[in-house]
Amino acid sequence: MKKLIINGGKELTGTIKIGGAKNSVVALLPAAILSDGKCKIYNVPNISDVHKLNEMLRLLGSNVEYKNDEILIDNKNVKNREITKEYASTIRASYYFMGALLSKYHKAKISYPGGCVIGSRPIDLHISAFEKMGAKVSIKDTTYTLTAEKLHGADIYLDFASVGATINIMLAAVLADGTTHIWNAAKEPEIVNVASFLNSMGAKISGVGTSAITIEGVKKLNDGIVEVIPDRIETGTYLMIGILLGKNLVIDGIIKEHLEAVITKLRETGAEFFIKNSKIYVSKTKKLNGVNVKTLVYPGFPTDLGQPMSTLLTQCKGESLFEETIYENRMRHIKHLNSMGAKILQFEKKAIIKGKTDLAGRNVIATDLRAGAAMMVAGMIAKGTTTITNIEHILRGYENIVDKLSNVGADIKIVDE
Ligand code: EPZ
């Protein structure tokens, strides 16, 4: 089992380069199946989810070449095959093969998706949308079978602005007969990234980035090309570390517009940093004040940064009120932060975080990807040594964490025990 060992308190100087967005690339790879030609995806992050999805593409007969940060995909030998539990259960994003295979072959057989244990994570919005477009869906044990004589355009109103459902509906709609409207669509930047990839293949999608998306079905999709947008969650995580430990730290390769809520909220704590073009310049802010944080769908404060933010709030003077509104079980990092000396009172999906508290290194667990990130931030500032186990969760969403952090002065390593 891999463990992360951090000796905290080191000053961080130098440049951290931001990689491609996990929550984009995990949709772009399944989307590539829709092309009858060749696809090029670049600025791909070196994370384990990419390797798992490449395996699934190869299972379907796709020829996948992954070199440096580029993936070349050739679908000339692609066939429709079942995505079994051994693959599907490893990541949440495996469910994008439902929309892609149903769209291309009018049949998909796939086991229930995996993903972080941060809630029940149903896929009812995906399934009901596919049914509205003409699919028949049956479930046996944990395997979904989706079939359709043909898929037709539909008017789909999402009860919740679900990222996954919005993308999966786009995948199903691009080759359907007629036009599909998605109302109350999610507006995350990753959705815009996926739509630009599909449009590069010849799809006709408009309105992405707003809550009303229109997809006009086309007959065929050809060669595609896309650059993965920078990971706004990785950016926010390193910015928080920079606010706590930086000395002229530079975070390079960001898109400011994707982080407005995070930037505003961090500035509200009194954190000082400035942004020029695609770089953030940040040094440690000595006096931080508590603020209230509530996670929301985009463009609100992202749920994926709620956990690392709660670590930063332990260093803010006064009381902060933190509320998670997207998932029902995304507070499991709190007891580990308290074991390090934090003073956090949790009431279901809300917490009162008292600061400023000194954190001491402890043995803690990464219960899920972003809880792991919260523990990494805590270990970076804690006095002494912090050992984080179950870091496979962290490696799913953060590329090359040891290189990126040790290159700017952190004392951090991965051991395999
Ligand atoms: C994506 O998950 C991301 N994962 C999540 O990131 C992110 O937290 C989330 O979007 C919100 O931004 C990937 O892109 C692989 P949702 P997704 O559908 O698509 C409920 C990370 O840490 N819901 O917007 O699963 C659901 O239970 C991960 O990088 C339904 O009720 O998110 C949740 O409460 C974690 N029915 C809420 O909506 C459905 O059919 C948000 O889900 C679908 C979702």
Side-chain angles (χ1 to χ4, degrees):
M1 179 168 61
K2 292 183 191 303
K3 292 181 183 175
L4 198 56
I5 299 179
I6 307 171
N7 288 312
K10 308 294 180 210
E11 201 167 63
L12 305 181
T13 298
T15 298
I16 294 179
K17 180 79 177 69
I18 295 300
K22 165 182 97 73
N23 291 344
S24 248
V25 73
V26 297
L28 294 170
L29 288 165
I33 276 289
L34 287 164
S35 163
D36 288 336
K38 295 181 180 167
C39 292
K40 179 175 176 182
I41 304 175
Y42 58 105
N43 194 34
V44 174
N46 173 26
I47 54 176
S48 58
D49 276 8
V50 165
H51 303 294
K52 285 178 193 145
L53 287 164
N54 285 346
E55 277 171 46
M56 291 183 219
L57 285 172
R58 291 187 180 110
L59 170 77
L60 295 169
S62 212
N63 181 35
V64 181
E65 276 174 59
Y66 183 15
K67 211 164 34 191
N68 304 326
D69 73 349
E70 280 188 15
I71 293 184
L72 298 173
I73 295 166
D74 185 341
N75 288 329
K76 62 178 181 298
N77 299 320
V78 163
K79 298 245 178 332
N80 193 0
R81 288 200 181 99
E82 179 181 354
I83 308 268
T84 55
K85 190 168 186 298
E86 93 185 81
Y87 292 93
S89 61
T90 58
I91 60 172
R92 171 93 175 157
S94 55
Y95 62 22
Y96 290 131
F97 282 105
M98 276 183 189
L101 293 172
L102 180 64
S103 191
K104 188 171 178 118
Y105 298 108
H106 294 168
K107 180 171 168 56
K109 194 166 180 188
I110 180 163
S111 185
Y112 194 79
C116 290
V117 185
I118 51 179
S120 58
R121 307 197 79 181
I123 58 170
D124 55 311
L125 299 176
H126 304 236
I127 299 303
S128 58
F130 293 147
E131 288 172 333
K132 279 199 190 95
M133 297 172 73
K136 294 221 174 345
V137 182
S138 63
I139 309 168
K140 193 162 178 299
D141 301 330
T142 59
T143 299
Y144 284 79
T145 303
L146 303 93
T147 54
E149 282 305 303
K150 66 174 186 169
L151 287 175
H152 53 74
D155 266 6
I156 296 162
Y157 175 83
L158 290 175
D159 290 343
F160 177 85
S162 156
V163 170
T166 301
I167 292 174
N168 238 340
I169 296 165
M170 282 197 316
L171 297 177
V174 285
L175 292 171
D177 289 353
T179 300
T180 297
H181 295 283
I182 310 174
W183 309 109
N184 193 31
K187 299 184 271 194
E188 276 70 359
E190 293 75 26
I191 293 163
V192 180
N193 208 191
V194 174
S196 60
F197 183 37
L198 293 167
N199 284 345
S200 79
M201 298 179 203
K204 289 191 177 137
I205 304 173
S206 56
V208 279
T210 76
S211 55
I213 298 177
T214 299
I215 305 110
E216 262 182 75
V218 295
K219 289 284 169 251
K220 182 176 157 50
L221 293 174
N222 309 301
D223 294 357
I225 184 165
V226 69
E227 176 176 9
V228 185
I229 57 172
D231 193 314
R232 58 196 170 95
I233 308 303
E234 183 191 23
T235 305
T237 306
Y238 288 128
L239 175 53
M240 291 173 195
I241 291 174
I243 290 165
L244 296 166
L245 291 167
K247 183 171 189 299
N248 305 323
L249 183 69
V250 180
I251 301 168
D252 186 16
I254 70 124
I255 296 179
K256 177 177 180 295
E257 291 68 27
H258 293 173
L259 283 151
E260 292 301 354
V262 178
I263 289 164
T264 306
K265 193 48 73 172
L266 287 170
R267 287 205 162 121
E268 202 183 310
T269 67
E272 289 162 4
F273 52 93
F274 72 97
I275 300 171
K276 192 163 181 304
N277 302 330
S278 65
K279 290 186 168 70
I280 303 177
Y281 300 84
V282 58
S283 290
K284 175 177 178 159
T285 301
K286 290 188 178 48
K287 266 181 75 30
L288 295 170
N289 311 303
V291 294
N292 296 336
V293 177
K294 182 175 186 174
T295 65
L296 294 167
V297 295
Y298 193 85
F301 193 97
T303 173
D304 295 346
L305 277 172
Q307 291 153 296
M309 184 69 179
S310 44
T311 301
L312 181 130
L313 293 174
T314 67
Q315 303 308 300
C316 297
K317 192 170 177 317
E319 283 192 353
S320 298
L321 176 59
F322 174 76
E323 184 180 1
E324 164 61 36
T325 71
I326 306 295
Y327 291 101
E328 58 269 37
N329 183 21
R330 201 168 201 176
M331 309 284 270
R332 297 191 301 163
H333 58 300
I334 286 179
K335 71 174 181 220
H336 296 286
L337 285 176
N338 283 339
S339 75
M340 297 174 76
K343 288 190 176 55
I344 305 176
L345 291 171
Q346 180 192 344
F347 311 91
E348 291 187 3
K349 299 197 311 183
K350 288 182 181 161
I352 294 175
I353 301 173
K354 293 185 173 35
K356 171 176 177 4
T357 54
D358 291 336
L359 301 184
R362 284 284 182 284
N363 296 340
V364 292
I365 300 171
T367 53
D368 54 77
L369 164 54
R370 306 302 175 181
M375 302 327 298
M376 182 170 71
V377 178
M380 290 291 290
I381 57 176
K383 212 179 180 65
T385 303
T386 300
T387 301
I388 308 174
T389 53
N390 286 19
I391 63 156
E392 287 74 9
H393 287 299
I394 305 176
L395 302 178
R396 287 190 42 221
Y398 291 89
E399 67 167 0
N400 313 329
I401 45 174
V402 172
D403 292 347
K404 289 192 177 187
L405 285 169
S406 47
N407 286 346
V408 293
D411 179 349
I412 180 170
K413 64 183 178 194
I414 291 181
V415 296
D416 214 341
E417 278 174 359

